[in-house]
Amino acid sequence: MKDLKQRFVEEYCIVWKGAPAAIRAGYAKSRAKQTARDLLQDPEIQAAIKEYHSKHGMSVEEAIKRNTDIGRTRLNDYMKVEEVWESTFERKPLADLIAELNLQIKIDDEFSDRAGLTEQEQGKIFELNKAREREILRYEIELKLNPKAYRVVKSEPRPVEKPTVDLIKLAKADEEGAIKKISWNERGLPSVEMYPADAAIKTALQIHGKLVEKHDHSSSDGSMTPKSIAIDPAKLTPEQLSNLVDVIRNVEQS
């Protein structure tokens, strides 16, 4: 094959449009449309395009698997649940607060009697308990006027399950091309952009004749324009068909 034709084959496999490929290959711009039409009808060119695509493209199995993986991918795949300890705010009735203060007074009084504290140390505990007694008195007065009175207080720390991003899985998926983009905000948190699952499924079916396309060959530049698409299940292996059916079901349920 002449160098000019080989160049056309290479350019066509990049842009998939006849006239632009002819111009990029070095053919005259004024006759690019007709040249492309003639070249694309040449059996030698058609065979060369098929061979070039076969050498430089993915295998059917590899391409279908990759697009199937993308079609199945969900952001939840990169999330994990971690247990953290945290405090929340809660409403506590005044009666409960009074009971807690009385308990603290009893504990400190007994500690003061048994710990052999100095007079200065005992004085500090005495003043602390006096302050608690005054607080109890205030609560009792308020409770008498409003039996439903409460205070919003900080709770004791308790274990809470929280979803977080699994950065290791996310980084690996980014390297493998399973997700479209990862960016990081000012707080150092990741923002993840996924590939459209339906587009991945369509691509998986479209590879190497797994998707039957009807083309309009009347395009003025000699390129082929898809008009309608139909799936040919007969060209899928049982395993491929099963995988793609699973993906389609997942998309419909999402």
Side-chain angles (χ1 to χ4, degrees), residues 238-252:
E239 182 180 357
Q240 291 168 348
L241 184 59
S242 176
N243 287 340
L244 291 171
V245 167
D246 288 343
V247 176
I248 292 170
R249 285 175 178 169
N250 288 338
V251 172
E252 290 176 345

Side-chain angles (χ1 to χ4, degrees), residues 102-120:
N102 279 321
L103 179 60
Q104 290 170 356
I105 290 173
K106 289 181 180 180
I107 292 173
D108 281 354
D109 279 344
E110 185 170 348
F111 175 76
S112 179
D113 292 340
R114 297 172 57 184
L117 302 179
T118 64
E119 289 187 6
Q120 185 178 5

Side-chain angles (χ1 to χ4, degrees), residues 198-216:
D198 55 347
I201 295 169
K202 177 182 174 182
T203 302
L205 290 170
Q206 198 170 11
I207 298 166
H208 290 266
K210 300 301 177 181
L211 188 72
V212 178
E213 293 190 356
K214 298 178 182 179
H215 293 89
D216 179 6

